[in-house]
């Protein structure tokens, strides 16, 4: 036996050396598990209720005491909200595939990332994707990688800025699934990449390309991030600060003045104070100040979803127009753009250092 190779790897590559009745063992590989927020299976009331119940029961998302929150959620909020959320999802639903845009885009990102990594690193790399809420689940994605022989797994939450209601809960779920395993793989998690040069470059390129042939150039670009309660910042969550830095780096890369690229936060939920300014209020304020044309992008989202395609394109657009604005431009998320996939691939290769 080659003493430079661990016995388990030799056995994995030479299953014929195992006892006759030994279960088949796949050749050992490295897995990359890409994770995003999640999606309902459909837009009907019960599909939306199941999804919202899972999402809003997560104490990383709503951290009120369960004895107080669950009766309010199950008896009041979930009796009404699935109707409104279902309508929002129906307005953006991918009818060709009968699924949400987030699912369509995340699948494409995973497939393109797999193609790129295999071309550069060989077929010992397997890529799968899972959702924190809904389907395909994190558990399903993990099982898929295990069945392909992945004994080392890199977990990659697709959130550029670290947030406890996003990155942390995705990692929580991943490790909860590992707790069920008799044989756990070696694992690593990818850190936030909010200031990654390639990520900033891709954001800047997406802005420039979208505005290149625009007749009415925006006087202000609004970087709109998903909001969090203000106390999260006070309790140590770095999300707010990382969002601010992303905006600053993007502004500097674009070569704009400080008041030409601004930060705002959307999707406020509940009665407590959230970080601000609120995007819906900020765009209305800009219109009242005389800005007739603005552009909005969402640097915290790696893929377009209901918060961008419905909330920004409809609610936030309407707020700007009703306050006197004339031209509202939405700049899509990076989605499965080639430069975005290249950024993700470079991050993966760096984080796999020592494994490949």
């Amino acid at each position: 036996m080659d003493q430079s190779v661990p016995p388990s790897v030799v056995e994995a590559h030479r299953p014929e050396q195992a006892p006759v009745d030994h279960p088949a063992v796949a050749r050992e590989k490295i897995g990359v598990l890409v994770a995003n927020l999640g999606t309902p299976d459909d837009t009907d009331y019960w599909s939306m209720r199941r999804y919202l119940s899972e999402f809003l029961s997560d104490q990383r998302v709503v951290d009120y005491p369960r004895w107080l929150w669950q009766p309010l959620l199950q008896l009041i909020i979930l009796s009404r909200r699935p109707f409104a959320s279902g309508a929002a999802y129906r307005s953006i639903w991918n009818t060709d595939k009968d699924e949400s845009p987030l699912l369509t885009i995340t699948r494409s990102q995973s497939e393109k990332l797999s193609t790129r990594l295999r071309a550069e690193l060989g077929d010992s790399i397997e890529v799968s994707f899972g959702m924190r809420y809904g389907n395909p689940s994190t558990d399903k994605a993990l099982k898929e990688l295990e069945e392909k022989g992945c004994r080392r797994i890199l977990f990659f939450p697709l959130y550029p800025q670290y947030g406890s209601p996003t990155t942390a809960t995705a990692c929580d779920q991943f490790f909860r699934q590992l707790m069920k395993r008799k044989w756990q793989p070696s694992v690593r998690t990818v850190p936030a990449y909010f200031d990654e040069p390639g990520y900033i470059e891709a954001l800047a390129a997406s802005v420039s390309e979208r505005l290149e042939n625009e007749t009415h150039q925006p006087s202000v670009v609004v970087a709109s991030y998903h909001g969090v309660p203000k106390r999260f910042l006070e309790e140590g969550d770095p999300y707010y600060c990382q969002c601010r830095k992303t905006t600053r780096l993007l502004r500097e890369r674009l070569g704009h003045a400080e008041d030409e690229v601004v930060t705002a936060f959307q999707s406020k939920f509940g009665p407590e104070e959230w970080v601000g300014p609120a995007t819906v209020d900020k765009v209305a304020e800009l219109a009242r100040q005389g800005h007739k044309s603005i552009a909005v992008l969402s640097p915290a989202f790696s893929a377009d979803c209901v918060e961008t395609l419905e909330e920004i394109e409809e609610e936030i657009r309407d707020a700007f127009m009703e306050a006197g604005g004339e031209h509202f431009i939405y700049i899509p998320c990076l989605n499965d753009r080639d430069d975005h996939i290249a950024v993700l691939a470079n991050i993966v290769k760096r984080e796999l250092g020592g494994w490949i």
Side-chain angles (χ1 to χ4, degrees):
M1 180 181 294
D2 183 353
Q3 296 302 311
S4 66
V5 183
S8 60
V9 177
V10 174
E11 291 167 5
H13 282 277
R14 299 177 183 174
E16 69 277 4
Q17 294 181 1
V20 176
D21 59 350
H22 194 284
V25 180
R27 181 166 64 89
E28 187 166 304
K29 296 183 178 182
I30 295 172
V32 179
L33 202 170
V34 172
N36 215 319
L37 182 75
T39 170
D41 294 325
D42 209 329
T43 62
D44 63 277
Y45 174 84
W46 290 109
S47 295
M48 291 305 310
R49 182 172 179 126
R50 282 193 300 272
Y51 173 72
L52 291 172
S53 180
E54 183 182 11
F55 174 50
L56 296 175
S57 293
D58 183 353
Q59 289 206 290
R60 288 284 195 180
V61 175
V62 182
D63 60 356
Y64 301 150
R66 293 184 65 83
W67 64 266
L68 173 66
W69 175 243
Q70 280 299 314
L72 178 63
L73 174 65
Q74 299 298 331
L75 299 177
I76 299 177
I77 295 174
L78 291 181
S79 66
R80 301 192 303 262
R81 185 156 178 170
F83 293 109
S85 295
Y89 270 95
R90 279 192 293 277
S91 72
I92 65 165
W93 202 249
N94 182 343
T95 54
D96 290 339
K97 292 182 178 292
D98 192 23
E99 63 188 25
S100 75
L102 178 65
L103 178 54
T104 304
I105 295 166
T106 306
R107 181 189 298 110
S108 180
Q109 290 172 326
S110 176
E111 291 171 350
K112 288 188 174 184
L113 180 61
S114 177
T115 299
R116 189 178 188 100
L117 290 174
R118 281 173 165 261
E120 297 180 11
L121 302 177
D123 63 2
S124 63
I125 301 292
E126 295 286 348
V127 179
S128 184
F129 76 96
M131 301 293 185
R132 169 61 183 89
Y133 315 104
N135 296 302
S137 67
T138 302
D139 184 45
K140 181 178 183 296
L142 182 56
K143 286 179 179 176
E144 181 180 310
L145 292 176
E146 290 174 326
E147 289 169 358
K148 292 179 178 179
C150 297
R151 299 306 313 150
R152 301 182 183 189
I153 294 177
L154 180 69
F155 183 65
F156 195 165
L158 289 183
Y159 305 110
Q161 298 80 18
Y162 175 95
S164 55
T166 51
T167 313
T169 191
C171 291
D172 289 347
Q173 185 72 351
F174 175 60
F175 285 108
R176 270 194 291 269
Q177 301 313 314
L178 290 178
M179 290 171 64
K180 303 176 182 178
R181 269 62 182 175
K182 288 290 189 294
W183 186 10
Q184 293 180 334
S186 298
V187 300
R188 294 176 178 173
T189 60
V190 175
Y193 54 101
F194 63 98
D195 57 356
E196 183 82 20
Y199 162 66
I200 299 300
E201 188 68 29
L203 281 179
S206 73
V207 173
S208 298
E209 290 169 15
R210 175 64 181 83
L211 301 181
E212 182 178 10
N213 298 314
E214 188 64 41
T215 303
H216 303 281
Q217 288 293 313
S219 53
V220 176
V221 174
V222 179
S224 180
Y225 301 82
H226 198 291
V228 293
K230 187 176 180 180
R231 63 183 170 82
F232 282 26
L233 169 64
E234 296 166 348
E235 293 168 356
D237 191 316
Y239 177 75
Y240 175 84
C241 299
Q242 292 183 0
C243 292
R244 288 284 184 181
K245 186 172 183 181
T246 295
T247 300
R248 176 176 64 78
L249 293 174
L250 173 62
R251 175 179 58 77
E252 292 172 353
R253 174 61 186 81
L254 291 171
H256 289 0
E258 191 167 343
D259 60 352
E260 293 177 338
V261 181
V262 299
T263 299
F265 296 88
Q266 64 186 83
S267 309
K268 182 181 184 297
F269 176 80
E272 64 181 304
E273 183 181 2
W274 280 38
V275 295
T279 306
V280 69
D281 297 332
K282 182 64 178 180
V283 299
E285 177 189 342
L286 289 171
R288 289 191 292 268
Q289 290 174 348
H291 295 278
K292 298 302 182 182
S293 178
I294 66 170
V296 179
L297 75 158
S298 300
F301 296 95
S302 63
D304 276 306
C305 54
V306 70
E307 283 85 356
T308 63
L309 299 175
E310 192 277 335
E311 185 177 358
I312 291 180
E313 282 278 52
E314 297 182 23
E315 178 186 347
I316 292 171
R317 176 191 291 272
D318 290 348
F320 176 70
M321 303 299 280
E322 290 169 5
E326 296 178 0
H327 306 285
F328 184 96
I329 304 163
Y330 174 62
I331 300 168
C333 295
L334 294 179
N335 295 327
D336 61 354
R337 289 170 54 106
D338 288 344
D339 53 0
H340 188 207
I341 300 304
V343 172
L344 301 181
N346 287 337
I347 292 172
V348 167
K349 286 185 291 184
R350 182 182 65 214
E351 297 302 319
L352 290 179
W355 280 5
I356 55 174

